[in-house]
């Protein structure tokens, strides 16, 4: 018992030090970067607002959400706080400006997070198609994977093609150097990551796992995650020379041996430093590698930061 108490005291001290490190970094370095003052007039149509004929797929900063379809997961006030990473539906996230969604499914085609399941993936598809029907130039990266500990849903690749066929951008390395305008009217890059089923092949309507990479680490310590994100990002090729998407997640994860197990208070430890991270990318010389930037509980300011840097790149200011 005494050892456990000592461990918790040490963790609290470590967390306090980590929080102060980020506070001091923001105070001393600031969170300004090229495009940081830019605000899109219409987040729902922010890609259209930047001129699709000028915006290349590989130069955008894609605002993304982590565990995107968990807004209704579990039982409210009971299990939901331990698994919910977003409070908005997929449709509302897209309207807010989100352009990369992370969906986990089980063998029954239900969205899940670990052992907790929520609504059918049909709900996600309907939200995506509703948004696409209301816009003309917005491109979405839809990542769908079989959740750890579950089996692949049967014939799921066929299901995805049937649901999104007319919108799907086919797997092709040349897509990265094209503008949005060159890809229209197709507007969905769907990355399907099965566990055991065959992976999508080159030229097919779906994209394989290797086209969306990240370096996720399991920690609830904000400065540790912040610094790990910078380190791994700096090791990537510049966006102009690579034929895959690379994601940075501005999130931290509750740990089983910590008293705070609910997602929101833990991930809030890093949530407010999204702009600081972008500013540090410029300071460390790796801003030309940043591409997909994801978060828990996405808000308008996070979207604006991503769109602002995209604007700066398109205008040749970053």
């Amino acid at each position: 018992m005494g050892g456990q108490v000592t461990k918790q005291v040490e963790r609290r001290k470590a967390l306090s030090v980590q929080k102060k490190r980020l506070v001091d970094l923001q105070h001393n370095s600031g969170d300004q970067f090229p495009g940081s003052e830019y605000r899109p007039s219409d987040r729902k149509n922010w890609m259209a607002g930047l001129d699709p004929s000028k915006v290349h797929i590989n130069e955008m900063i894609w605002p993304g959400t982590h565990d995107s379809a968990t807004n209704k997961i579990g039982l409210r006030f009971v299990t939901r706080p331990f698994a919910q990473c977003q409070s908005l539906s997929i449709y509302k996230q897209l309207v807010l400006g989100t352009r990369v969604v992370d969906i986990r499914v089980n063998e029954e085609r239900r969205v899940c997070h670990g052992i907790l399941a929520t609504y059918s993936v049909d709900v996600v598809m309907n939200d995506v198609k509703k948004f696409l029907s209301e816009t003309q130039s917005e491109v979405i990266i839809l990542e769908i994977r079989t959740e750890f500990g579950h089996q692949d849903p049967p014939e799921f690749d066929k299901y995805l093609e049937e649901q999104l066929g007319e919108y799907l951008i086919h797997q092709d390395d040349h897509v990265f150097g094209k503008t949005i305008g060159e890809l229209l009217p197709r507007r969905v890059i769907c990355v399907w990551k099965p566990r055991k089923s065959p992976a999508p092949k080159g030229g097919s309507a779906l994209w394989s796992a290797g086209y969306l990479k990240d370096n996720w680490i399991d920690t609830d310590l904000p400065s540790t995650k912040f610094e790990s994100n910078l380190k791994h990002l700096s090791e990537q090729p510049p966006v102009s020379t690579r034929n895959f998407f690379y994601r940075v997640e501005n999130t931290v994860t509750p740990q089983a041996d910590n008293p705070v197990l609910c997602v929101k208070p833990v991930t809030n430890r890093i949530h407010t430093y999204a702009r600081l991270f972008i500013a540090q990318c410029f300071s460390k010389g790796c801003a030309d590698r940043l591409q997909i930037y994801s978060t828990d509980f996405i808000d308008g300011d996070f979207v604006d930061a991503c769109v602002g840097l995209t604007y700066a790149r398109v205008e040749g200011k970053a």
Side-chain angles (χ1 to χ4, degrees):
M1 180 68 178
Q4 184 64 23
V5 171
T6 300
K7 183 179 180 180
Q8 291 304 322
V9 170
E10 291 174 349
R11 287 184 64 87
R12 287 178 180 273
K13 288 181 179 178
L15 179 58
S16 178
V17 168
Q18 294 236 336
K19 287 180 175 178
K20 185 177 186 304
R21 193 176 297 161
L22 290 179
V23 169
D24 290 347
L25 182 61
Q26 182 148 16
H27 176 75
N28 295 328
S29 303
D31 58 7
Q32 301 297 301
F33 53 85
S36 61
E37 301 300 320
Y38 181 85
R39 298 292 184 275
S41 60
D42 178 7
R43 292 191 184 111
K44 184 177 180 179
N45 291 283
W46 69 260
M47 290 183 177
L50 295 179
D51 187 352
S53 68
K54 295 170 60 178
V55 183
H56 289 81
I57 294 299
N58 61 3
E59 70 180 350
M60 283 190 285
I61 306 297
W62 300 71
T65 51
H66 163 247
D67 262 308
S68 305
T70 53
N71 56 308
K72 293 185 178 181
I73 201 162
L75 297 174
R76 191 179 184 188
F77 304 127
V78 182
T79 55
R80 187 172 300 172
F82 304 105
Q84 184 185 42
C85 298
Q86 306 297 331
S87 56
L88 301 176
S89 68
I90 295 298
Y91 173 75
K92 289 183 178 179
Q93 289 176 41
L94 293 170
V95 169
L96 184 64
T98 301
R99 292 296 178 267
V100 181
V101 291
D102 158 27
I103 309 298
R104 326 288 179 88
V105 296
N106 63 19
E107 47 279 322
E108 298 175 349
R109 292 187 183 175
R110 303 192 75 81
V111 176
C112 58
H113 185 183
I115 61 172
L116 293 179
T118 180
Y119 42 70
S120 166
V121 73
D122 291 344
V123 175
V124 174
M125 293 299 147
N126 289 338
D127 276 5
V128 168
K129 289 187 287 187
K130 179 182 179 182
F131 174 77
L132 292 170
S133 72
E134 295 173 355
T135 57
Q136 295 183 334
S137 303
E138 305 306 300
V139 178
I140 299 168
I141 299 176
L142 174 62
E143 178 196 29
I144 304 189
R145 73 180 83 175
T146 302
E147 178 68 306
F148 180 78
H150 293 278
Q151 299 298 313
D152 299 325
E155 298 187 320
F156 198 64
D157 52 347
K158 294 180 181 178
Y159 167 81
L160 292 172
E161 291 185 40
E162 289 171 358
Q163 290 289 316
L164 301 168
E166 64 184 284
Y167 293 112
L168 290 171
I169 298 169
H170 287 222
Q171 184 182 148
D172 179 359
D173 287 358
H174 293 99
V175 165
F176 294 93
K178 292 186 177 181
T179 64
I180 293 174
E182 290 174 312
L183 295 175
L184 296 176
R186 296 184 180 273
R187 294 191 282 140
V188 178
I189 295 173
C190 184
V191 181
W192 165 225
K193 298 182 175 181
R195 291 209 164 267
K196 295 182 179 179
S197 302
K201 297 180 179 179
S204 68
L206 307 177
W207 295 62
S208 57
Y211 282 102
L212 203 171
K213 303 178 183 181
D214 54 35
N215 290 101
W216 180 79
I217 66 165
D218 188 12
T219 182
D220 62 351
L221 298 174
S223 182
T224 295
K225 183 63 176 288
F226 191 97
E227 291 165 6
S228 174
N229 282 342
L230 280 172
K231 174 183 178 295
H232 288 299
L233 181 64
S234 69
E235 295 167 350
Q236 305 305 312
V239 295
S240 60
T241 65
R242 69 182 187 231
N243 291 329
F244 62 88
F245 295 102
Y246 184 78
R247 171 173 51 205
V248 171
E249 290 189 334
N250 189 57
T251 64
V252 286
T253 309
Q255 300 298 299
D257 62 349
N258 193 289
V260 183
L261 295 175
C262 297
V263 174
K264 195 160 192 176
V266 173
T267 202
N268 276 349
R269 297 169 185 171
I270 198 171
H271 186 83
T272 56
Y273 298 106
R275 287 178 174 268
L276 175 64
F277 181 81
I278 298 176
Q280 284 298 295
C281 287
F282 280 93
S283 178
K284 303 296 184 183
C286 58
D288 61 343
R289 292 149 171 77
L290 188 60
Q291 193 172 50
I292 295 177
Y293 194 28
S294 294
T295 188
D296 291 326
F297 301 102
I298 196 165
D299 55 33
D301 186 67
F302 185 90
V303 171
D304 290 352
C306 295
V307 179
L309 181 49
T310 301
Y311 166 77
R313 282 183 175 176
V314 171
E315 296 299 317
K317 300 177 181 178

